[in-house]
Amino acid sequence: MSDATETFEAEQTVCPFCGVGCTIEHAGNGVATGVEGPVNERGEICPKGAAAFDPVTHDDRVTTPLVRRDGTLATAPWAEALDRVTAEIGRVVDEHGPDAVQFFASSNCTNEENYVLQKLARVLGTNNVDNCARLCHSSTVAAMSDRLGAGAMTNTLDDLQQADCVFVNGANPAEQHPVAFRSYVLPAVRNGATLVHVDPRENDTTEAADVHLPLRPGTDIELLNAVAAVLIEEDLVDEAFLAERTTGFDRLRDHLAAVDVAANAEAAGVEPEAVREAARAYGEADRAAVVTGMGTSQHRCGTDNVHALLNLALLTGNVGRPGTGVNPLRGQNNVQGTSDVGGLPGTLPGYEPVDDPEARERLAAAWGVEPPADPGLTEVEATHRFGDDVRAAVVFGENPAVTEPNANGVDSAFEALDFCVVIDLFETATAAHADVVLPGSAWAEKAGTVTNTDRRVMRMRPNAEPPGDARRDLSILTDLGRRLTDRPEEFDYDGPESVFDELTDVTPIYEGMSYEGIGDGYQRWPFSAEAGEGTDVLHAETFATGERTAPLVAVDPVPPVDEVGADELTLTTGRVLQHFNSGALSRRSDRLMAMRGEDALQIHPNDAAARAIEDGDRVRVSNDRGEMTIAADVTAAVPEGVTFCTFHYVDAAANALTGDELDPEAGIPEFKHSAVAVEPAAEGGAVDAD
Ligand code: SF4
């Protein structure tokens, strides 16, 4: 229940939900309103943005530290809670070394907070720090960094409006990034751009599409190779671009010559003519932009999927110009910045590899201690090693017990830790395993910067004080830095601005940015201190690798991990307009719950009929990893053989069914394809909602 009171100041800040980064402020009575900002130029917001203050005042807020005594979390003074953290982490480091501690950074918190968290890990002596970009976009970052030299959107939201074709692969921006879709993609479509939507489901994005390719989950490579084959077959490639800006065309052409477009289309479950139509729309456009999301990235072959997508852009010369490029839309409001400032186990602030001696030396000059050279563990790898060589976890503003795959396994893994401290607003499913819970600050209570999906760094400003004894996250993290490391002076800051000044000094892509320069607007990375501005369109003359050319890559299909038995269906998961991630914030909004209070499993009418399931019936969804009970939504919006639900509502349920096999390069799990049995639930089967 939300206790909406007039406790908020009307200070301009940034919406805490998706990566679009709309500017909002408090309009009174606990409601947010959009104000003209760098992204939402006319003050547009979506329902989540309007409800952003609801969880801030929710009765469930943890307002005093909690310490586990005799198996139960009990309130405790800050001094006792912090002493316990210091003693327990200190003991684990003394007995097992710093690599026995895993740090979970938060893509829902500021750049400054995440910078301090990763600095704490590295000054302590470990690169074991990761964030939930691992679960969403690590494969996109891996493939794009490898080929182009940068893993972020190649272009800007603004210049999407100049596209003649928008090829949306594995994303549903109409619901997941609503302001980006309505203010940037739809205007292009209204101006005549062709919208191609590659997605197993029909959803709000499909409604605006000219071509829909409802592929079977796990067949992106078959489909994208077929599109690439048509581009070559029908001479829709850009010969001049191929000659000047790419390598490896002959090899890719030979590889694609063996692709039978009709066979690949059939494997993907789509019409061959629709594949050709999509390829022509993309290949014939003067400016064609790819927009991609987790439908592409969250597979055991997520990195290969993105490689296949990048081939389309490079074959047709759709890179380095406005209205083109490959544009991954980021999920959380600071998932981009958390990775930018070093919240990753393999890269330092600014994506410099941890094994780069020059980058480590530069940090040593700033921090007085050199970060370790060996990459740390990803967060999924770490949970697999809890209780083994990983003995303690510092979980900052994340809820891995819900968001990690094979959640039942993750649940028991947390129990195997010697010690776990959680910094959060609520007693989350992860906090249930904690030895200490430190009450942190909500988005509306903090100052700092966040970086949105098109690389814009913007300022958040506090609208309220944290409730009770809760403290601002930055002050908790700097306190931990002073207590846990032998360089306490490295964690003395005058406030978020002084942290930002330091991070811009050591993060090359942010160098030259300042709070004053950002003001009410933004500064975009890569930023040029000399020019006083950032770069809008990447890879114009040279790629971010420093090279004039980028390689084309032959990609072979990789089957999903789960084999789908004759009586089984494929479960794919995703998000809806009204809710967000594990639902810890959005399910604490009466407004959003009134709009969509319960999840439902979308199932095709033929699959439902074969199982004697009617619309609204409760069904049991299970596999050998777990099970859940949920209402059936019988609809032809999903293809036969495919079911869909979100992971917003039922703590751990959807992810109790997903597997934890990882993409070998990026470590991303296969959230988008799990084999499940679906059957009518036993009488009285209850929804396990929290
Ligand atoms: Fe917030 Fe994203 Fe909605 Fe904008 S589009 S209001 S950033 S959730």
Side-chain angles (χ1 to χ4, degrees):
M1 188 184 78
S2 297
D3 170 27
T5 59
E6 292 285 353
T7 52
F8 298 108
E9 304 287 328
E11 290 285 348
Q12 173 183 320
T13 188
V14 181
C15 174
F17 289 112
C18 87
V20 173
C22 297
T23 303
I24 59 173
E25 67 179 30
H26 185 239
N29 202 28
V31 179
T33 186
V35 292
E36 292 169 12
V39 185
N40 54 335
E41 291 171 355
R42 295 181 302 283
E44 316 91 293
I45 53 171
C46 78
K48 285 194 291 290
F53 286 98
D54 291 353
V56 177
T57 50
H58 199 280
D59 293 343
D60 286 351
R61 284 287 297 270
V62 183
T63 56
T64 53
L66 303 173
V67 170
R68 193 168 295 280
R69 294 192 202 101
D70 300 325
T72 307
L73 284 172
T75 58
W78 271 99
E80 180 188 337
L82 289 171
D83 285 350
R84 179 93 173 262
V85 177
T86 311
E88 294 289 343
I89 299 277
R91 184 186 58 73
V92 167
V93 171
D94 286 348
E95 289 178 9
H96 304 281
D99 285 337
V101 185
Q102 182 73 26
F103 291 81
F104 291 75
S106 175
S107 44
N108 210 219
C109 292
T110 66
N111 288 325
E112 291 77 358
E113 291 156 355
N114 283 297
Y115 174 79
V116 167
L117 183 82
Q118 63 82 39
K119 178 177 175 180
L120 162 54
R122 289 178 164 126
V123 171
L124 192 66
T126 182
N127 281 315
N128 283 355
V129 58
D130 201 9
N131 74 90
C132 81
R134 178 71 45 205
L135 308 176
C136 309
H137 276 295
S138 55
S139 47
T140 319
V141 173
M144 291 178 67
S145 301
D146 182 29
R147 303 271 290 280
L148 311 181
M153 272 181 70
T154 58
N155 286 56
T156 69
L157 290 173
D158 301 73
D159 83 35
L160 282 177
Q161 294 176 88
Q162 299 181 42
D164 303 307
C165 173
V166 183
F167 191 102
V168 179
N169 197 88
N172 175 15
E175 293 188 66
Q176 292 157 3
H177 301 86
V179 171
F181 187 74
R182 282 172 212 287
S183 303
Y184 297 99
V185 177
L186 269 188
V189 174
R190 289 195 191 107
N191 275 340
T194 304
L195 180 62
V196 177
H197 192 210
V198 182
D199 194 304
R201 297 192 305 138
E202 277 176 35
N203 50 45
D204 287 0
T205 302
T206 324
E207 277 182 26
D210 301 282
V211 184
H212 179 214
L213 298 172
L215 82 173
R216 286 197 188 96
T219 60
D220 294 69
I221 296 171
E222 285 89 336
L223 191 146
L224 294 169
N225 276 354
V227 172
V230 174
L231 292 174
I232 293 175
E233 214 179 282
E234 301 195 8
D235 201 18
L236 297 170
V237 297
D238 183 334
E239 301 283 357
F241 187 89
L242 285 171
E244 286 173 30
R245 302 292 311 272
T246 69
T247 57
F249 176 58
D250 291 347
R251 199 156 28 102
L252 179 62
R253 186 184 48 208
D254 292 348
H255 184 260
L256 293 174
V259 166
D260 178 338
V261 173
N264 274 33
E266 189 184 343
V270 299
E271 293 296 326
E273 195 44 43
V275 172
R276 290 187 180 277
E277 199 184 336
R280 287 175 197 133
Y282 184 78
E284 288 171 359
D286 285 339
R287 296 164 188 261
V290 168
V291 170
T292 181
M294 292 187 278
T296 314
S297 60
Q298 289 178 329
H299 293 272
R300 66 162 332 176
C301 55
T303 305
D304 284 349
N305 287 350
V306 179
H307 279 306
L309 200 51
L310 289 169
N311 283 343
L312 305 188
L314 292 171
L315 281 169
T316 54
N318 278 303
V319 181
R321 294 178 291 128
T324 69
V326 176
N327 300 288
L329 294 175
R330 301 300 192 209
Q332 300 217 51
N333 78 331
N334 199 33
V335 69
Q336 183 65 57
T338 302
S339 300
D340 294 348
V341 302
L344 294 172
T347 53
L348 300 167
Y351 299 102
E352 297 190 298
V354 293
D355 59 5
D356 177 343
E358 275 181 35
R360 287 203 315 279
E361 258 175 48
R362 191 171 57 249
L363 284 172
W367 296 351
V369 57
E370 190 169 300
D374 294 328
L377 297 174
T378 70
E379 57 183 52
V380 186
E381 286 169 347
T383 57
H384 289 177
R385 288 155 78 158
F386 278 5
D388 185 6
D389 47 347
V390 178
R391 316 295 299 208
V394 178
V395 183
F396 171 50
E398 292 239 333
N399 195 6
V402 174
T403 53
E404 303 271 323
N406 195 1
N408 290 344
V410 176
D411 243 16
S412 43
F414 266 95
E415 286 302 309
L417 286 173
D418 294 358
F419 181 74
C420 175
V421 54
V422 167
I423 304 164
D424 213 309
L425 309 182
F426 305 112
E427 284 192 64
T428 60
T430 307
H433 301 285
D435 299 286
V436 175
V437 179
L438 301 176
S441 46
W443 69 276
E445 295 152 2
K446 54 177 70 176
T449 58
V450 288
T451 307
N452 85 333
T453 192
D454 69 351
R455 300 176 271 112
R456 283 187 257 210
V457 182
M458 297 181 282
R459 284 178 62 185
M460 297 186 76
R461 296 173 176 82
N463 286 252
E465 292 298 317
D469 286 339
R471 285 173 53 184
R472 292 212 156 92
D473 291 339
L474 189 62
S475 118
I476 299 171
L477 293 167
T478 50
D479 218 344
L480 291 179
R482 282 188 290 268
R483 283 166 168 265
L484 294 174
T485 71
D486 56 9
R487 299 196 64 80
E489 70 281 6
E490 281 302 323
F491 297 90
D492 282 334
Y493 293 100
D494 287 338
E497 186 169 2
S498 67
V499 179
F500 190 73
D501 289 344
E502 179 179 308
L503 88 82
T504 58
D505 283 345
V506 299
T507 308
I509 54 178
Y510 280 47
E511 192 181 345
M513 291 184 186
S514 68
Y515 271 26
E516 194 186 348
I518 295 169
D520 288 342
Y522 69 93
Q523 287 178 324
R524 173 175 273 133
W525 72 256
F527 192 76
S528 161
E530 206 177 309
E533 60 183 16
T535 304
D536 291 348
V537 179
L538 301 180
H539 318 306
E541 297 300 324
T542 55
F543 290 96
T545 51
E547 303 290 329
R548 175 87 177 133
T549 59
L552 289 155
V553 173
V555 188
D556 286 315
V558 179
V561 178
D562 278 9
E563 280 182 31
V564 183
D567 297 334
E568 291 182 313
L569 301 173
T570 298
L571 173 70
T572 192
T573 63
R575 295 174 289 165
V576 291
L577 171 68
Q578 302 86 353
H579 286 280
F580 197 69
N581 271 22
S582 73
L585 293 179
S586 59
R587 280 187 293 108
R588 289 187 167 92
S589 163
D590 294 344
R591 266 172 271 260
L592 296 175
M593 288 303 279
M595 294 170 75
R596 199 177 192 278
E598 189 184 323
D599 204 9
L601 182 84
Q602 290 188 323
I603 181 168
H604 190 274
N606 294 348
D607 294 325
R611 290 163 177 77
I613 292 167
E614 294 193 6
D615 193 42
D617 283 356
R618 304 218 74 77
V619 294
R620 177 175 178 267
V621 187
S622 63
N623 59 20
D624 55 9
R625 294 181 286 265
E627 64 175 80
M628 67 174 174
T629 305
I630 188 170
D633 173 11
V634 179
T635 170
V638 285
E640 211 170 331
V642 175
T643 61
F644 169 88
C645 73
T646 79
F647 51 94
H648 302 311
Y649 290 88
V650 187
D651 276 359
N655 280 336
L657 298 160
T658 52
D660 51 7
E661 182 95 12
L662 304 178
D663 175 290
E665 274 185 66
I668 199 166
E670 188 152 72
F671 285 122
K672 297 299 186 198
H673 185 285
S674 308
V676 293
V678 181
E679 60 195 336
E683 201 66 20
V687 171
D688 179 23
D690 101 353

